[in-house]
């Protein structure tokens, strides 16, 4: 597998850690941009994050984590260079002249301290596109606050809307906000490239996790302006019923069923062989079904509880009823639909026998001509030489000198804590 | 010269949306909010199904006042058109001939049976980009399954593993996040197709699956399982006082972390809330905090109760601690931070009135790209403008189409 040519020639320098920004720049790398991830030997949390083969960090743990292949250094280049060192800083700025995009996810102010803020970079490369992905953005009273994806889940209003029916608020996810933000990063960068093709102009992009999060709850933002409070309903729905998860045979097996219309309810009754309880007139119309949804859910569970979730899904779907088994990761890696669609990628991590072939989720879209697969995972500092020669124009002798000055790394420092 | 603030980055792009699902509507909205000239095509009479989704501004059902519809359809113009009638199909193909991007969310095969396959669209517009967004994709054993957001959460692994509690049934997330995630992936695909078209001159047919968006995007399901053999399961936030639980404050709730402070967070927390017992070794690691979570909660919770959300945020921030206020949508709307940043944009709507809408989550050169947007279209609001103004239909022709329920 090799790189698509869509973004061939586009060079991205990225000072990125953790999740949201690396997820975003990975899309550009998939499309063939040269994404140079500038890493630091001082901050190896992404290389420590795993997951590791059999859950155990191996001898070369810094190149073994699964998140690296899924998004961290996926199709990217790794330049492990200390940019806080005066020489490293000078080289970074030299490379900016040759690059199209610079991205970072430091807290606001850090890039300025390094001399890498948009104004400084635009002064040496007027066509530069910069994107800073932060929790709260470069202005406002919370600008300097730190975050995790789940604190953003809370801050944006999502957690308050999430929870079992009648229960307390719960975070929607540990990392949904990272991924939504990363998707937004990719969109914003592609927009900026598109605009620059037309106008020749660079741009400064200030993108935030919190605001991306709020953009995920648009309806609730409108509702609250008219005093409407959206209840937490778990898997239930504001008006549809039955609409929930129902226990199936086996341990922790479930099926989700979502009935909207009366016709669908009739079909479900037929699927159940028209039991006497289901003939109750209170279940005949949408509104009344919803009002009596708790007892309806209970009755329905009595019917599903003895059945196989996947077989029940197939038989309900054959009758046109909206139903889906609650699938686990183990189900999904073997799912016939996903396999037939080529969605899952069994990718062999070249040069790492301990990792070898593992299965990864693909991209949820197919654009003919733009294969979005993993074809390489950059090892720590793997591209030091290539990048410094090709992009920074350094000679092999200069590069050797840098390594001796402890500006370049290809492995963690001696004594680095094993994750 | 393009002015981002006035025109939007995509102002030279024409989008046609024939989407009956929120995924497609949201995808088109993301393009429209960046200035793409986006026309939403709805069936005459009832319009997009989302128009009938409660709740409604003003309380009573009204096709122009549904909050989900209003939120998912900003910056678009709207026409009514019955594409199942031959006259409607011909009109749609006329609109396609001037479009750059068509977004549809029918079940796979339905566009073809209406005479609107990708090949049929290409006949009148060889460079057109068609994005088909469906629950399970255009092919594969589940392609013809019925879906909705809950089913995508179920089959995408979200329900089993991502939110919810370990001792309770699978639970999902609110407001059709899987549909939205598919839409966000959709615009990435469309931008790729637009850039590709600049190089090759050719359009393409893009296949987006909501189920796959659920697996690929919020997850961490597939490769962790493949690496470790462990099946991720819900409940990772349970019994985690510092790393997941929500705890009450005076006017809301907060979730704590041990992030920030260079690894000294328990010391800083202890000092901040004035509770020396937090320094006990039994609270030193994530695992030991979990083992002693009730005791830890009883030390921390009463202290948090003394704080108002905004004060707590300010003071923890000053100490380098990282917290999350569990904000209600109203608290988000009232947020001084977002107000200062100009995140919300006010849009006027003839039926729903003036409301504040979320921006896209990014600013270009300090400008909120949505500031020049318009509110969602009323049903058929732009029929005359588009059918007479753009396609040049006469009043007689329009009347005949209305009479035949084509528009």
């Amino acid at each position: 597998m090799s790189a698509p040519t869509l973004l061939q020639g586009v060079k991205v320098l990225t000072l990125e850690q953790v999740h949201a920004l690396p997820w975003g720049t990975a899309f550009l790398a998939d499309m063939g941009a040269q994404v140079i991830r500038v890493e630091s030997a001082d901050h190896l949390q992404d290389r420590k994050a795993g997951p590791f083969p059999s859950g155990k960090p191996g001898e070369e743990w810094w190149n073994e984590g699964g998140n690296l292949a899924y998004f961290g250094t996926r199709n990217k280049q790794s330049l492990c260079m200390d940019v806080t060192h005066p020489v490293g800083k000078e080289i970074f700025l030299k490379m900016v002249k040759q690059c199209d995009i610079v991205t970072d996810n430091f807290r606001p102010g850090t890039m300025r301290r390094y001399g890498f803020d948009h104004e400084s970079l635009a002064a040496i490369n007027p066509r530069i596109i910069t994107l800073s992905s932060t929790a709260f953005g470069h202005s406002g009273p919370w600008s300097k606050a730190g975050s995790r994806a789940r604190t953003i889940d809370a801050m944006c209003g999502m957690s308050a809307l999430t929870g079992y029916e009648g229960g307390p608020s719960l975070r929607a996810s540990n990392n949904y906000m990272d991924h939504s933000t990363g998707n937004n990063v990719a969109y914003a960068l592609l927009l900026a490239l598109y605009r620059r093709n037309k106008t020749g102009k660079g741009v400064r992009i200030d993108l935030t996790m919190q605001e991306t999060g709020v953009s995920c709850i648009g309806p609730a933002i409108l509702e609250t302006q008219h005093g409407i409070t959206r209840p937490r309903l778990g898997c239930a729905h504001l008006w549809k019923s039955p609409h929930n998860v129902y226990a199936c045979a086996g341990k922790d097996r479930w099926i989700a069923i979502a009935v909207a219309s009366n016709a669908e309810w009739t079909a479900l009754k037929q699927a159940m062989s028209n039991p006497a309880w289901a003939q109750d007139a209170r279940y005949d119309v949408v509104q009344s079904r919803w009002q009596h949804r708790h007892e309806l859910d209970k009755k329905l569970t009595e019917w599903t509880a003895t059945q196989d979730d996947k077989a029940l899904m197939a038989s309900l779907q054959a009758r046109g009823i909206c139903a889906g088994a609650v699938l686990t990761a183990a189900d999904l890696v073997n799912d016939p639909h996903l396999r037939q669609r080529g969605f899952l990628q069994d990718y062999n991590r070249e040069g790492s026998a301990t990792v070898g072939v593992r299965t990864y989720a693909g991209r949820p879209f197919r654009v003919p001509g733009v294969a979005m697969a993993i074809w390489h995972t950059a090892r720590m500092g793997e591209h030091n030489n290539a990048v410094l020669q090709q992009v920074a124009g350094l000679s092999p002798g200069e590069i050797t000198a840098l390594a001796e000055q402890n500006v370049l790394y290809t492995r963690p420092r001696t004594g680095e804590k094993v994750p | 010269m393009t002015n981002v603030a006035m025109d939007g980055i995509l102002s030279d792009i024409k989008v046609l949306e024939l989407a009956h699902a929120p995924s497609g509507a949201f995808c088109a909205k993301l393009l429209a909010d960046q200035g793409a000239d986006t026309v939403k095509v709805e069936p005459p009479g009832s319009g997009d199904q989302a128009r009938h989704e409660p709740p409604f501004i003003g309380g009573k059902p009204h096709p122009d006042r549904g909050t989900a519809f209003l939120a998912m359809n900003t910056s678009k113009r709207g026409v009514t058109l019955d594409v199942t009638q031959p006259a409607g199909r011909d009109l749609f193909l006329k609109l396609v001939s001037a479009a750059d991007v068509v977004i549809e969310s029918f079940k796979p095969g339905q566009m073809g049976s209406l005479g609107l396959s990708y090949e049929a669209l290409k006949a009148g517009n060889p460079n057109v980009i068609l994005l088909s967004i469906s629950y399970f994709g255009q092919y594969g054993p589940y392609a013809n399954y019925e879906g909705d957001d809950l089913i995508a959460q179920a089959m995408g692994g979200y329900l089993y593993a991502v939110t919810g509690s370990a001792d309770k049934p699978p639970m999902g997330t609110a407001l059709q996040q899987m549909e939205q995630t598919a839409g966000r992936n959709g615009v990435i695909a469309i931008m790729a197709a637009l850039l590709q078209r600049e190089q090759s001159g050719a359009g393409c047919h893009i296949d987006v699956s909501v189920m796959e968006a659920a697996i690929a995007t919020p997850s961490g399901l597939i490769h962790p399982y493949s690496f470790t053999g462990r099946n991720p399961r819900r409940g990772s936030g349970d019994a985690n006082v510092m790393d997941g639980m929500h705890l009450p404050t005076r006017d809301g709730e907060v979730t704590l972390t041990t992030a920030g402070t260079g690894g000294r967070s328990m010391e800083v927390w202890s000092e901040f809330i004035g509770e020396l017992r937090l320094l006990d070794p039994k609270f030193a690691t994530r695992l030991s905090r979990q083992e002693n979570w009730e005791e830890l909660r009883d030390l921390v919770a009463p202290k948090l109760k003394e704080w108002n959300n905004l004060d707590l945020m300010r003071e923890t921030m000053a100490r380098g601690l990282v917290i999350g206020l569990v904000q209600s949508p109203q608290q988000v709307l009232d947020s001084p931070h977002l107000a200062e940043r100009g995140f919300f944009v006010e849009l006027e709507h003839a039926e729903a009135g003036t409301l504040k809408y979320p921006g896209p989550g990014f600013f270009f050169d300090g400008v909120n790209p949505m500031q020049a947007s318009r509110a969602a279209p009323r049903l058929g609001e732009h029929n005359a403008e588009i059918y007479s103004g753009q396609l040049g239909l006469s009043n007689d022709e329009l009347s005949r189409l209305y009479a035949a329920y084509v528009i």
Side-chain angles (χ1 to χ4, degrees), chain B residues 187-349:
Chain B
V187 292
I188 295 170
I190 286 169
M191 290 309 298
L194 284 170
L195 290 165
Q196 182 171 246
R197 197 182 66 164
E198 283 186 354
Q199 295 170 4
S200 69
C204 60
H205 184 190
I206 302 165
D207 175 7
V208 183
S209 151
V210 182
M211 176 190 178
E212 290 174 359
I215 301 166
T217 307
S219 75
L221 292 178
I222 304 294
H223 69 278
Y225 173 75
S226 180
F227 271 70
T228 66
R230 283 196 295 268
N231 218 2
R233 192 174 181 276
R234 61 194 172 276
S236 61
D238 298 352
N240 256 323
V241 178
M242 305 301 297
D243 306 282
M245 288 178 76
H246 295 176
L247 300 160
T249 58
R250 191 188 288 168
D251 62 346
E253 284 179 302
V254 66
T255 183
L256 309 182
T257 74
T258 51
T261 70
R264 294 181 54 248
S265 64
M266 288 311 280
E267 287 91 326
V268 179
W269 274 113
S270 158
E271 199 179 305
F272 173 56
I273 64 171
E275 179 48 81
L276 284 171
R277 282 173 287 182
L278 288 196
L279 298 173
D280 193 305
K282 69 181 158 196
F283 304 133
T285 68
R286 188 184 169 106
L287 199 65
S288 68
R289 286 192 293 271
Q290 236 170 317
E291 279 161 9
N292 302 289
W293 73 273
E294 283 168 303
E295 202 178 331
L296 181 58
R297 181 198 55 197
D298 293 346
L299 294 178
V300 172
K303 303 284 188 173
L304 294 172
K305 252 340 264 180
E306 297 167 8
W307 287 91
N308 288 322
N309 272 6
L310 293 182
D311 295 336
L312 184 63
M313 184 69 188
R314 191 187 59 241
E315 293 304 316
T316 51
M317 207 171 86
R319 287 164 177 77
L321 294 166
V322 176
I323 65 166
L325 303 177
V326 184
Q327 301 201 99
S328 67
Q330 186 63 41
Q331 286 168 322
V332 171
L333 189 71
D334 292 342
S335 159
H337 177 76
L338 293 176
E340 189 174 319
R341 284 180 54 76
F343 168 68
F344 291 108
V345 289
E346 276 194 5
L347 304 178
E348 211 181 292
H349 186 279

Side-chain angles (χ1 to χ4, degrees), chain B residues 75-95:
Chain B
S75 313
K76 302 174 189 175
R77 294 189 290 165
V79 296
T80 51
L81 184 61
D82 183 359
V83 294
T84 65
Q85 295 192 49
R89 185 195 58 215
D90 292 348
L91 264 184
F92 184 75
L93 286 171
K94 266 194 191 146
L95 291 170

Side-chain angles (χ1 to χ4, degrees), chain A residues 6 23 31 51-54 64 66-67 70 136-143 145-148 150-151 154-164 169-173 175-176 179 183-184 187-188 190-191 194-195 197-199 201 203-208 210-211 214-216 218-219 222-226 228 230 235 239-240 243 245 252 254 256 258 313 317 320 322 324-325 327-330 332-333 335 337-338 340-341 343 358-360 362 364-370, chain B residues 2 4 9 12-13 30-31 34 53-57 67 71 136-142 145-148 150-151 154-155 157-160 162-165 168-173 175 177 180-181 184-185 188 191-192 195-196 198-199 205-209 212-213 215-219 221-223 225-227 231 233-234 236-237 242-244 246 253 255-257 259 310 313 317 322 324-325 327 330 332-333 337-338 340-341 343 355-356 359-366:
Chain A
L6 179 63
W23 178 257
M31 294 173 192
F52 294 107
S54 308
E64 290 174 356
N67 286 356
Y70 191 46
F136 298 103
H138 282 248
S139 59
W142 291 347
S143 178
S147 75
R148 289 290 177 269
R150 67 181 172 77
T151 66
M155 302 287 292
C156 76
M158 182 72 78
S159 301
L161 295 162
T162 308
Y164 292 95
S169 64
L170 272 180
R171 62 149 189 259
S173 163
N175 58 24
Y176 180 60
H179 283 92
N183 286 354
N184 225 4
Y187 183 41
L190 292 169
L191 284 169
Y194 183 84
R195 174 177 181 257
N197 287 352
K198 308 264 168 203
T199 66
K201 289 166 72 170
V203 69
R204 172 178 61 87
I205 306 170
D206 174 5
L207 183 147
T208 92
Q210 189 202 17
E211 290 167 8
V214 180
S215 78
C216 294
L222 302 187
E223 286 152 20
T224 193
Q225 294 171 61
H226 279 261
I228 304 165
R230 193 170 271 263
C235 291
W239 60 266
K240 293 181 193 174
H243 185 288
V245 288
D252 205 21
W254 309 79
M313 166 173 77
Q317 285 283 359
C322 192
L327 300 178
T328 70
L332 291 170
V333 296
D335 187 86
H337 178 76
L338 298 177
Q340 189 170 326
R341 286 179 56 74
F343 170 70
R358 305 279 167 175
T359 306
Y360 300 81
F365 52 81
R366 314 283 188 285
V367 182
V370 191
Chain B
T2 305
V4 171
I9 291 173
D12 62 338
I13 295 297
L30 294 178
L31 299 173
Q34 299 303 325
E53 288 288 332
F56 300 91
I57 299 296
T67 57
F136 306 101
Q138 296 299 299
Y139 60 94
Y142 307 156
Y145 274 18
E146 301 290 334
D148 81 345
L150 178 70
I151 303 306
M155 296 176 70
Y158 197 102
L159 285 189
Y160 187 82
V162 179
T163 181
S165 298
K168 293 201 175 78
M171 197 201 75
T173 179
L175 291 168
Q177 295 307 317
Q180 292 196 41
T181 298
R184 285 189 194 282
N185 278 285
I188 295 170
M191 290 309 298
L195 290 165
Q196 182 171 246
E198 283 186 354
Q199 295 170 4
H205 184 190
I206 302 165
D207 175 7
V208 183
S209 151
E212 290 174 359
I215 301 166
T217 307
S219 75
L221 292 178
I222 304 294
H223 69 278
Y225 173 75
S226 180
F227 271 70
N231 218 2
R233 192 174 181 276
R234 61 194 172 276
S236 61
M242 305 301 297
D243 306 282
H246 295 176
E253 284 179 302
T255 183
L256 309 182
T257 74
L310 293 182
M313 184 69 188
M317 207 171 86
V322 176
L325 303 177
Q327 301 201 99
Q330 186 63 41
V332 171
L333 189 71
H337 177 76
L338 293 176
E340 189 174 319
R341 284 180 54 76
F343 168 68
L355 291 165
K356 288 181 183 166
F362 48 83
F363 289 74
F364 274 73
D365 286 334

Side-chain angles (χ1 to χ4, degrees), chain A residues 342-355:
Chain A
F343 170 70
L344 301 168
Q345 186 183 356
D346 296 317
Y347 160 67
N348 182 16
R349 186 90 146 260
E350 67 290 343
S352 179
T354 43
V355 177

